[in-house]
Amino acid sequence: MSGKRFELRILPLFEDDLNEIADYILLRLKNPIAAERLVDDVEAAIYERLSCADAFEPYPSTRGREYPYYCIQVRNFSIFYVLIGDIMEVRRIQYSRRNMKPLL
């Protein structure tokens, strides 16, 4: 663990994923409080990880990648990010019980 703080970059794909999840909770399940709480928890988990993003094991993947994925668990969701130099690039958020292989 380096102890350095990483710069945050969030990809539009992550934002699309999170908006889709929040919209489902808000509109389909009709639970605006839960939707807002999930978004707040996701944001807090990402900012908390910035100070130690390199202290975790890479997410297991069968694909060869230049930058391995790392995972943050928030409730029933997995947030995936990569480290590119001193940048923590948040790429996806998915329901944890989904088959991740075709997505990642």
Side-chain angles (χ1 to χ4, degrees):
M1 180 167 78
S2 66
K4 68 179 179 178
R5 188 159 180 92
F6 290 83
E7 181 183 330
L8 179 61
R9 179 186 304 151
I10 296 178
L11 295 187
L13 187 56
F14 170 82
E15 292 174 344
D16 293 344
D17 290 343
L18 185 57
N19 287 335
E20 185 178 315
I21 292 164
D23 285 349
Y24 179 83
I25 295 169
L26 176 67
L27 303 173
R28 180 84 182 224
L29 301 180
K30 302 198 183 315
N31 194 338
I33 294 170
E36 184 176 344
R37 198 169 42 218
L38 176 65
V39 171
D40 290 346
D41 290 350
V42 165
E43 182 179 309
I46 290 170
Y47 281 104
E48 183 178 324
R49 183 66 64 99
L50 277 175
S51 64
C52 58
D54 57 349
F56 295 85
E57 290 289 321
Y59 187 80
S61 176
T62 56
R63 295 184 187 181
R65 303 184 181 283
E66 183 176 358
Y67 305 109
Y69 278 116
Y70 293 84
C71 185
I72 304 170
Q73 292 299 132
V74 176
R75 295 197 221 155
N76 294 331
F77 296 93
S78 299
I79 301 165
F80 295 96
Y81 67 93
V82 297
L83 300 175
I84 304 170
D86 64 348
I87 297 171
M88 178 178 147
E89 184 176 88
V90 180
R91 294 189 168 180
R92 301 296 307 257
I93 179 170
Q94 296 294 319
Y95 183 64
S96 294
R97 292 194 178 181
R98 276 185 89 167
N99 179 6
M100 299 296 177
K101 284 184 182 183
L103 301 172
L104 303 176

